[in-house]
Amino acid sequence: YFSAHWCGPCRGFTPSLANTYATVTRRGSPFEIVFVSSDRDENSFQSYFSSMPWMAIPFANRALKDSLSQRFSVRGIPTLVLLDMSRGQVITTEGRQQVMNDPMLLSLNWPEVPKQAPVSSTTHFTATNLDGIMKKITQFGSEQQCNPIAIQSVLGLAESIKGNTAIADASAVANSLVELTLRLPSECLFPVIDLARVAILHNSTLQTLLRQSEAFNRQLVGLCTNPTPTNSACRMVVRYWTNQLHLQQTADQGWLKDITAGLLALARHGEIVKDSVLATGLAALLMNIMIRASGDATSLHESAIRLSTQLLIANPELGGDVPVHAWTAIRFAVDGLGLQIKRELVQNIRDVRLEKLDKTPRDISTEVLSRLRGL
């Protein structure tokens, strides 16, 4: 997927592609996306990639990006090239139009879905990242005197992902990930959580086991509520939750409330929220939570409003996707609010510099304010 953060049409298409990705992978079809960035710098790449549930070529590998662009005759972005990896053939270089016309990609000639949990076609593009993850886990695990069996189990998981092979015992691997997450201090957790983020794309059983692990999820929320959270660990938590949300057909409302509480706690740390990459990930995740919220979600709506306004107030000069995602979350939540929280929202909006917004978030904010007129 050839795209970039600075490209308006790209930012408009990426959410549609994410919905297609979630739909296709949930039904078990062997489908993977690799983001090929045309961003101008590493920070822009990280900010944009934080809202995506798939893989990416490392931004530093510009030679590979140029080679792929030339190979597929990419003349503009967004460009989505659909490939049949089993035959080594290009299906179409007009994948964007294919997704817009057929969001579930039912018109493609998919192979028969295997009975066992599918293994996604994790590519060699992630091998370098996984080597770095394995090195850090080995280092931190040894320094903190973690269980050697748990360390080896987790390293075996990384090798399975690198080799695109099945995981022999997903339950044992999940237990090892949980054990290391509980054992390691917060500043050492980012490689373990990053591996979990990749692993749930690789194995649906592991995805379910980790989502259902109360100890694992408590630890992730605890990272966000820590008095001195680290940016690296929090970035990985947000990305992990983003992947989990995209992979779920029906999001558990209790789980949504838990992670929203974690995000709200994280947003109270002013310096962290000023991290543009983390702020973008927070806002995008919150927007997707609001889209998936159902039933009696009043507490979710109230948390969304508070978190979104905190993001906007903390980032008055920040452009890009943060205002778009934050205002979209507010738009989804505002009708489910009580009178008191609506008045609180109106008061907080006065601290947001609306004149600094680009056209899209300004249009959304205008719609929200029209709903609040008279308060």
Side-chain angles (χ1 to χ4, degrees):
Y1 174 42
F2 297 85
S3 185
H5 182 268
W6 53 262
C7 167
C10 296
R11 296 198 303 271
F13 175 63
T14 296
S16 298
L17 183 58
N19 288 334
T20 294
Y21 179 78
T23 299
V24 174
T25 54
R26 276 199 300 264
R27 72 175 181 237
S29 297
F31 183 56
E32 190 54 83
I33 296 176
V34 178
F35 172 40
V36 186
S37 171
S38 292
D39 288 297
R40 293 174 177 137
D41 53 55
E42 178 76 29
N43 283 340
S44 298
F45 162 74
Q46 291 289 350
S47 177
Y48 193 29
F49 183 47
S50 68
S51 65
M52 299 177 180
W54 45 71
M55 307 298 178
I57 295 174
F59 181 78
N61 199 340
R62 296 289 83 190
L64 181 55
K65 178 262 179 186
D66 293 340
S67 175
L68 289 170
S69 297
Q70 184 176 5
R71 168 68 180 81
F72 297 114
S73 302
V74 176
R75 296 289 179 263
I77 55 174
T79 292
L80 179 65
V81 180
L82 296 180
L83 303 169
D84 183 342
M85 298 302 290
S86 64
R87 297 182 177 87
Q89 296 176 346
V90 176
I91 299 172
T92 179
T93 58
E94 300 294 332
R96 179 190 181 193
Q97 194 61 45
Q98 181 99 19
V99 167
M100 300 305 290
N101 294 338
D102 177 20
M104 298 179 68
L105 296 180
L106 295 174
S107 60
L108 298 184
N109 185 25
W110 295 100
E112 183 178 351
V113 178
K115 292 183 180 179
Q116 70 273 20
V119 177
S120 70
S121 53
T122 307
T123 68
H124 67 279
F125 300 128
T126 61
T128 302
N129 292 344
L130 284 167
D131 286 341
I133 288 172
M134 293 167 69
K135 183 178 179 180
K136 286 294 184 183
I137 290 175
T138 301
Q139 174 192 339
F140 293 154
S142 174
E143 291 174 351
Q144 300 298 322
Q145 299 182 342
C146 295
N147 181 356
I149 296 176
I151 295 173
Q152 288 306 312
S153 175
V154 169
L155 294 178
L157 167 64
E159 290 289 357
S160 294
I161 297 173
K162 280 181 62 178
N164 198 28
T165 57
I167 298 171
D169 188 345
S171 179
V173 170
N175 288 337
S176 296
L177 283 168
V178 173
E179 182 176 342
L180 290 183
T181 303
L182 297 176
R183 172 74 179 178
L184 290 170
S186 60
E187 64 271 16
C188 299
L189 276 176
F190 65 91
V192 178
I193 301 171
D194 202 18
L195 180 59
R197 176 185 69 84
V198 177
I200 62 176
L201 297 173
H202 185 78
N203 185 278
S204 59
T205 302
L206 194 57
Q207 177 235 329
T208 302
L209 289 171
L210 287 179
R211 190 179 75 251
Q212 294 176 347
S213 170
E214 291 185 9
F216 187 72
N217 287 297
R218 274 201 310 269
Q219 185 70 349
L220 298 191
V221 173
L223 275 173
C224 298
T225 58
N226 190 309
T228 56
T230 60
N231 286 36
S232 55
C234 290
R235 284 186 187 185
M236 291 306 110
V237 170
V238 169
R239 287 184 179 178
Y240 170 81
W241 280 337
T242 297
N243 282 11
Q244 275 282 21
L245 190 62
H246 277 298
L247 290 170
Q248 293 181 54
Q249 189 166 9
T250 304
D252 176 80
Q253 299 299 298
W255 181 75
L256 290 182
K257 289 179 181 179
D258 288 342
I259 64 175
T260 303
L263 297 179
L264 189 60
L266 187 57
R268 295 192 182 102
H269 299 282
E271 292 306 312
I272 281 189
V273 177
K274 291 177 183 178
D275 177 333
S276 62
V277 175
L278 185 54
T280 300
L282 276 167
L285 178 55
L286 183 65
M287 178 185 69
N288 285 312
I289 289 172
M290 286 298 95
I291 293 171
R292 303 292 288 277
S294 62
D296 183 12
T298 301
S299 61
L300 265 179
H301 292 156
E302 292 182 358
S303 296
I305 291 296
R306 291 192 172 101
L307 176 52
S308 298
T309 51
Q310 283 184 43
L311 286 170
L312 292 167
I313 293 169
N315 296 274
E317 304 292 336
L318 192 61
D321 290 337
V322 173
V324 176
H325 296 323
W327 277 108
T328 301
I330 291 173
R331 181 175 62 184
F332 274 103
V334 69
D335 289 335
L337 299 175
L339 183 59
Q340 182 177 348
I341 192 70
K342 283 183 178 179
R343 286 175 174 165
E344 180 183 322
L345 173 60
V346 171
Q347 183 63 40
N348 286 332
I349 287 175
R350 291 172 183 166
D351 296 324
V352 178
R353 300 176 67 176
L354 300 178
E355 73 278 2
K356 295 287 186 179
L357 297 175
D358 294 334
K359 183 179 185 305
T360 299
R362 188 168 63 247
D363 289 347
I364 299 171
S365 67
T366 300
E367 179 187 340
V368 171
L369 290 171
S370 69
R371 299 185 189 182
L372 296 172
R373 192 169 290 130
L375 296 178

